[in-house]
């Protein structure tokens, strides 16, 4: 059984994925239903009415779903749970977090403990992101070095 | 030079620890070969034909003497006492142990260096003019904007898993020494009428198996919008670039499929949403980066014309070196010096640990502790007082770095080829050496003038063969190594528009190549005319005038007897 990693009040938890989600796709979707997107689907404003959006990673090194997540969050203002599904690999999680994913259906062959340990390997990043829209040059007073 | 602040240091340190843990998981069997491949590539580590290769990032080709000493130390301790200057202005080590790479990265971090995103399908090291901040024809130093792009593109959450690798080059001079026309994105920075930095963006250029000259998609972009505009370009590429076929995955294929206008429209449609958003660069950040690249404390010196003239008369070797390898500096009394690595018998771009150490010492003595790596795979000392040129030349000669061949036939660009690279169809280093051996007469080479020979061991075109005046490409013919020759390419330097070479015809066996080059040069010498200012017509101009026919005729004459 895959593992579901979810954020709650600043804490990440992982549990066996026992949620039985009745996914719809772009053709069968209605407001209030969970919506499953392929990484090359075009996002639109109507999707923000979904109770949950899943985005499928067809391969762990395919970055299209990252851009799709950014668009759903920043362009269309989706504020519900955004879930990474498919080939979800622990080493991509930190990118996914910053692109606005809030839960992860980890592939069955991945180790959940390892995944929890690599969710946020960096204390700071140069660019803005969905999580923190300001780049380092707006967040920090840059240029001071304690040698 | 840009100096790391605490934020940069902490990030690079955390990256080392992140990669160390990933390496350990691989060694413990918890990451497959394919999974670890993607991670190690983003930290500079290839596994090549014989051993791993580590590509160290030299951001926009600028290095400090302290950093070069560290590279020399790494070459001694972790490699076989040498390194390789690459066509992307980086430094490569050919013999590191996979298990030791985290330690090498730790050593690099100690001098504010890293190997992040030097390979893999992500935004690669930004390149620029190797004479940036020194050249007399420069209108604006591009490096602050390169550093801005470097930071923005490092560990980008959305753009680290692109369809294919992505290369950005920036130029700020009249002569485009950064070859911006053949990059995924090329950027020209200049001052507009009010003196404000302004940017023209070109997209979809590239070499590889489908060479394309990039198209202008945006002109006159103010610096504050640079990152949001690039963000939109990357988003369009990340979403719509092909992923089904790696040979059609570069942005050039997407731009061609959409047409440059169609691509521009897509980018603009995305950009309206991010323009003026938080990604807009602040004045403070621009000032911070610009102030990192202020001029070194130049002394007020006279042009050393008479003295140099006397030294030239007394030492013909120095005279040739001065004419060929020493360029005009924007500061009176100074010069820009290219130290050539192209010596017969040494693979182009290879330098020993001792050479790295002496070049670092010369950078301290003659060039304010600063040096460059050029995409032609040479070292550059950007700020040398003219009065020190003779002394530097004598020392460079003694260290095997004094060849007076910058821009000449023997200053070949050459990828590591089949001797090292597992992608290569054919060897390239022995071809370069055979050509250097055939053409070893300095006077003849100088008489030929500027002639770019670029050699790639395969279609991936790391040796930029498409833009060589003479391009040589290694191809596989039923398991044997052959070489296809193209003519008339140009990377866009010397004020000439970039162009792609035309293939002469059927390919040649390796041992035939020097003779074929000789025939090509023969056609040029027979056809070249005197220009209006009394100089000999260049190889490229002559080729453009005559076309490829006379070359075809001579190259394939008596083909049955070859």
């Amino acid at each position: 059984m895959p593992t579901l990693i979810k954020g709650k009040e600043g804490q990440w938890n992982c549990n066996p994925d026992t949620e039985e989600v009745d996914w719809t796709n772009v053709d069968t979707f209605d407001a209030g239903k969970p919506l499953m997107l392929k990484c090359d689907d075009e996002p639109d404003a109507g999707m923000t009415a979904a109770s949950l959006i899943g985005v499928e990673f067809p391969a762990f090194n395919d970055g299209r779903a990252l851009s799709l997540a950014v668009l759903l969050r920043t362009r269309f203002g989706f504020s519900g749970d955004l879930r990474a599904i498919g080939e979800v690999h622990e080493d991509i999680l930190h990118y996914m977090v910053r692109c606005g994913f809030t839960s992860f259906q980890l592939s069955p062959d991945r180790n959940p403990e390892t995944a929890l340990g690599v969710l946020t390997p960096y204390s700071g990043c140069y660019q803005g992101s969905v999580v923190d829209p300001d780049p380092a040059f707006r967040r920090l007073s840059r240029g001071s070095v304690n040698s | 030079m840009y100096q790391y602040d605490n934020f940069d240091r902490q990030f690079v340190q955390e990256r080392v620890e992140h990669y160390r843990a990933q390496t350990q998981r691989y060694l413990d069997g918890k990451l497959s070969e394919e999974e670890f491949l993607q991670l190690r590539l983003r930290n500079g580590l290839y596994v090549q034909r014989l051993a791993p290769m580590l590509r160290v990032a030299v951001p926009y080709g600028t290095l400090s003497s302290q950093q070069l000493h560290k590279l020399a130390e790494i070459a001694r301790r972790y490699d076989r006492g040498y390194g390789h200057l690459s066509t992307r202005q980086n430094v490569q080590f050919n013999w590191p142990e996979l298990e030791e790479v985290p330690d090498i990265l730790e050593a690099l971090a100690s001098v504010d260096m890293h190997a992040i995103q030097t390979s893999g399908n992500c935004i690669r090291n930004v390149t620029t003019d190797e004479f940036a901040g020194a050249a007399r024809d420069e209108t604006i130093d591009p490096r602050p904007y390169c550093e801005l792009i470097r930071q923005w593109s490092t560990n980008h959450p959305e753009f680290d898993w692109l369809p294919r690798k992505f290369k950005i080059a920036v130029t700020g001079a009249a002569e485009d020494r950064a070859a911006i026309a053949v990059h995924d994105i090329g950027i020209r920075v200049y001052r507009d009428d009010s003196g404000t930095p302004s940017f023209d963006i070109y997209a979809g250029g590239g070499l590889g198996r489908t060479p394309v000259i990039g198209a202008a998609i945006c002109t006159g972009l103010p610096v504050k919008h640079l990152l949001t505009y690039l963000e939109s370009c990357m988003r369009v590429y990340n979403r719509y670039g092909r992923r089904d076929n790696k040979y059609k995955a570069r942005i050039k294929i997407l731009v061609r499929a959409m047409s440059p206008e169609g691509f521009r429209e897509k980018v603009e449609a995305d950009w309206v949403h991010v323009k003026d958003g938080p990604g807009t660069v602040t004045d403070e950040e621009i000032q911070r980066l610009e102030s990192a690249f202020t001029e070194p404390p130049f002394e007020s010196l006279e042009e050393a014309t008479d003295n140099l003239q006397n030294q030239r008369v007394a030492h013909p070797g120095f005279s040739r070196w001065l004419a060929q390898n020493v360029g005009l500096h924007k500061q009176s009394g100074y010069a820009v010096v290219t130290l050539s690595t192209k010596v017969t018998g040494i693979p182009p771009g290879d330098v020993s640990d001792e050479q790295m150490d002496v070049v670092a010492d010369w950078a301290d003595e003659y060039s304010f502790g600063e040096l460059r790596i050029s995409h032609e795979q040479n070292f550059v000392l950007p700020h040398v007082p003219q009065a020190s040129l003779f002394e530097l030349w004598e020392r460079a000669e003694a260290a095997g770095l004094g060849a007076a061949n910058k821009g000449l036939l023997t200053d070949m660009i050459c990828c590591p080829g089949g001797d090292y690279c597992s992608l290569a169809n054919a060897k390239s280093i022995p071809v370069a050496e055979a050509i250097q051996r055939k053409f070893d007469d300095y006077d003849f080479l100088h008489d030929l003038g500027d002639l770019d020979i670029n050699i790639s061991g395969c279609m991936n075109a790391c040796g930029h063969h498409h833009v060589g005046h003479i391009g040589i490409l290694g191809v596989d013919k039923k398991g044997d190594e052959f070489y296809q020759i193209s003519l008339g390419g140009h990377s866009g330097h010397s004020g000439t528009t970039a162009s792609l070479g035309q293939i002469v015809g059927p390919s040649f066996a390796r041992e035939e190549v020097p003779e074929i080059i000789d025939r090509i040069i023969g056609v040029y010498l027979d056809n070249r005319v005197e220009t209006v200012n009394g100089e000999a017509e260049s190889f490229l101009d002559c080729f453009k005038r005559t076309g490829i026919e006379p070359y075809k005729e001579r190259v394939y004459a008596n083909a049955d007897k070859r």
Side-chain angles (χ1 to χ4, degrees):
Chain A
M1 181 176 288
T3 302
L4 189 63
I5 298 181
K6 271 180 129 170
K8 197 179 174 186
E9 292 162 5
Q11 288 288 314
W12 294 97
N13 298 296
C14 61
N15 292 294
D17 185 6
T18 53
E19 289 184 14
E20 288 187 14
V21 181
D22 191 12
W23 293 107
T24 62
N25 61 36
V26 283
D27 297 323
T28 60
F29 172 66
D30 276 320
K33 296 258 177 77
L35 170 63
M36 175 79 85
L37 295 176
K38 297 194 297 294
C39 63
D40 58 354
D41 280 333
E42 285 295 327
D44 64 53
M47 293 174 178
T48 58
S51 60
L52 161 69
I53 298 181
V55 183
E56 194 179 6
F57 283 75
F60 85 98
N61 58 345
D62 187 326
R64 281 176 291 182
L66 297 170
S67 280
L68 184 53
V70 168
L71 292 176
L72 286 166
R73 290 297 194 202
T74 62
R75 199 127 320 159
F76 299 102
F78 178 65
S79 58
D81 190 12
L82 184 58
R83 183 166 303 174
I85 302 212
E87 294 294 320
V88 178
H89 190 277
E90 66 269 18
D91 286 300
I92 313 297
L93 293 178
H94 68 98
Y95 301 98
M96 294 177 180
V97 169
R98 294 176 63 212
C99 288
F101 284 98
T102 41
S103 61
F104 311 93
Q105 193 188 73
L106 202 62
S107 307
D109 61 323
R110 309 318 304 167
N111 181 321
E113 292 307 313
T114 305
L116 274 186
V118 294
L119 270 164
T120 50
Y122 300 101
S123 57
C125 294
Y126 286 107
Q127 323 74 8
S129 65
V130 170
V131 180
D132 187 350
D134 281 344
F137 59 74
R138 287 183 190 272
R139 287 196 307 272
L140 309 166
S141 172
R142 301 281 317 263
S144 55
V145 175
N146 301 327
S147 43
Chain B
M1 275 181 67
Y2 179 74
Q3 304 288 332
Y4 274 19
D5 68 358
N6 288 335
F7 181 82
D8 299 299
R9 292 233 167 97
Q10 182 156 353
F11 174 77
V12 170
Q13 192 56 48
E14 288 174 357
R15 178 73 169 217
V16 173
E17 294 317 316
H18 191 193
Y19 182 66
R20 191 185 291 283
Q22 289 170 331
T23 303
Q24 193 56 50
R25 278 194 281 133
Y26 167 70
L27 295 172
D28 292 345
K30 291 173 181 158
L31 287 173
S32 68
E33 287 292 341
E34 170 58 20
E35 289 161 345
F36 185 57
L37 164 82
Q38 297 295 336
L39 303 173
R40 63 172 165 73
L41 287 178
R42 281 165 180 75
N43 290 282
L45 187 63
Y46 282 79
V47 173
Q48 295 212 311
R49 187 160 282 185
L50 303 169
M53 179 274 276
L54 182 68
R55 180 180 294 150
V56 176
V58 179
Y60 34 92
T62 296
L63 272 175
S64 72
S65 56
Q66 182 202 19
Q67 290 172 329
L68 186 56
H69 278 307
K70 182 59 77 177
L71 294 175
E73 188 186 313
I74 289 170
R76 271 190 295 277
R77 177 155 177 203
Y78 296 102
D79 204 291
R80 297 186 181 174
Y82 68 98
H84 175 76
L85 311 184
S86 85
T87 56
R88 297 257 327 140
Q89 300 181 282
N90 291 319
V91 172
Q92 299 181 174
F93 292 111
N94 285 308
W95 307 98
E97 297 292 337
L98 187 144
E99 295 80 359
E100 289 185 331
V101 168
D103 296 334
I104 300 175
L105 297 178
E106 180 103 50
L108 290 170
S110 74
V111 291
D112 298 345
M113 294 185 81
H114 60 73
I116 299 167
Q117 292 167 222
T118 55
S119 54
N121 296 339
C122 52
I123 303 175
R124 302 288 188 84
N125 186 27
V126 180
T127 52
T128 191
D129 186 349
E130 64 267 23
F131 300 155
R136 197 169 281 180
D137 71 339
E138 180 173 276
T139 49
I140 189 163
D141 186 344
R143 291 173 302 162
Y145 317 109
C146 292
E147 178 61 24
L148 185 70
I149 296 167
R150 182 191 78 80
Q151 297 195 15
W152 164 78
S153 61
T154 297
N155 201 38
H156 197 290
E158 192 182 340
F159 306 132
D160 223 14
W161 301 90
L162 300 169
R164 201 75 176 84
K165 58 188 170 182
F166 202 92
K167 299 175 179 179
I168 301 176
V170 189
T171 185
E175 175 178 344
D176 174 18
R177 284 171 289 260
I180 63 166
V182 289
H183 279 76
D184 295 289
I185 284 187
I187 301 177
R188 176 179 292 285
V189 53
Y190 52 94
R191 291 192 189 282
D192 66 13
D193 294 341
S194 66
T196 319
S198 220
F199 295 78
D200 290 350
I201 314 284
Y202 298 78
L207 299 172
R209 57 180 69 203
T210 316
V212 185
I213 301 289
I217 56 159
C218 178
T219 53
L221 186 73
V223 62
K224 67 176 178 175
H225 295 316
L226 184 61
L227 297 185
T228 54
Y229 194 86
L230 290 177
E231 175 184 332
S232 293
C233 291
M234 297 312 300
R235 186 166 294 127
V236 171
Y237 172 56
N238 192 37
R239 295 191 67 214
Y240 302 110
R242 284 180 64 171
R243 291 174 189 258
D244 58 327
N245 178 344
K246 73 181 271 197
Y247 300 114
K248 297 189 184 300
R250 295 289 286 270
I251 193 177
K252 62 193 172 189
I253 305 292
L254 178 68
V255 171
R256 196 166 63 177
M258 286 182 162
S259 83
E261 295 69 33
F263 178 78
R264 179 199 295 126
E265 279 167 23
K266 272 275 190 211
V267 170
E268 299 269 338
D270 186 90
W271 189 44
V272 294
H273 297 283
V274 292
K275 187 184 177 194
D276 295 318
T280 306
V281 190
T282 59
D283 291 343
E284 294 73 29
E285 179 67 355
I286 294 161
Q287 280 161 17
R288 180 178 84 93
L289 295 176
E290 285 177 348
S291 67
F293 296 94
T294 48
E295 283 186 354
F298 290 124
E299 288 176 58
S300 135
L301 301 174
E302 300 279 318
E303 292 283 290
T305 321
D306 290 347
N307 195 21
L308 288 175
Q309 198 50 42
N310 294 338
Q311 289 166 336
R312 288 183 77 154
V313 171
H315 301 275
F318 176 66
S319 181
R320 281 194 292 256
W321 183 76
L322 197 69
Q324 208 60 42
N325 289 40
V326 178
L328 296 176
H329 199 285
K330 59 181 174 188
Q331 180 74 22
S332 133
Y334 285 83
V336 185
V337 172
T338 297
L339 298 167
S340 172
T341 69
K342 314 297 173 61
V343 180
T344 305
I346 309 276
D350 273 14
V351 285
S352 70
D353 59 326
E354 291 99 346
Q355 286 178 319
M356 290 189 231
D357 276 329
V358 293
V359 171
D361 289 340
W362 301 338
D364 279 333
E365 280 180 63
Y366 304 119
S367 189
F368 300 95
E370 193 187 317
L371 55 113
R372 310 285 171 79
I373 293 170
S374 71
H375 83 270
E376 292 92 352
Q377 305 173 280
N378 295 318
F379 279 123
V380 172
L381 294 177
H383 313 296
V384 180
Q386 291 172 1
S388 303
L389 286 171
F390 184 75
E391 183 181 297
L392 175 59
W393 170 71
E394 285 189 307
R395 296 173 76 176
E397 277 275 285
L401 291 162
N405 62 352
K406 178 186 177 303
L408 299 182
L409 180 151
T410 49
D411 183 16
M412 280 171 272
I413 293 181
C414 179
C415 73
D419 289 298
Y420 293 100
C421 180
S422 49
L423 300 173
N425 289 323
K427 292 185 180 185
S428 46
I429 293 168
V431 177
E433 182 176 343
I435 294 170
Q436 284 172 329
R437 288 199 189 285
K438 186 161 187 85
F439 300 95
D440 61 351
D441 182 312
Y442 263 142
D443 292 329
F444 178 71
L445 293 171
H446 282 261
D447 178 56
L448 276 182
D450 285 354
L451 184 53
D452 299 345
I453 297 190
N454 295 0
I455 309 174
S456 303
C458 74
M459 283 290 192
N460 289 300
C462 295
H464 304 178
H465 63 276
H466 300 294
V467 291
H469 300 162
I470 300 176
I472 302 176
L473 167 67
V475 291
D476 179 275
K477 255 194 187 174
K478 295 176 186 152
D480 285 328
E481 297 184 0
F482 274 73
Y483 297 86
Q484 185 183 73
I485 292 183
S486 56
L487 296 174
H490 187 58
S491 70
H493 64 74
S494 310
T496 308
T497 314
S499 57
L500 302 168
Q502 302 170 43
I503 296 165
V504 177
S507 53
F508 304 95
R510 187 189 303 158
E511 59 276 10
E512 294 177 304
V513 172
E515 164 64 17
I516 296 302
I517 302 297
D518 194 41
R519 291 184 184 200
I520 290 167
I521 285 166
V523 176
Y524 161 59
L525 291 177
D526 290 350
N527 284 281
R528 77 175 175 189
V529 294
E530 204 169 276
T531 63
V532 279
N533 33 11
E535 289 168 8
E537 185 181 34
S538 71
F539 179 87
L540 194 64
D541 288 341
C542 179
F543 174 80
K544 282 181 184 162
R545 186 171 51 75
T546 64
I548 201 164
E549 282 311 318
Y551 294 88
K552 278 187 187 219
E553 246 168 61
R554 179 110 35 122
V555 159
Y556 295 103
N558 310 317
D560 51 323
K561 289 186 198 157
R562 281 208 330 272

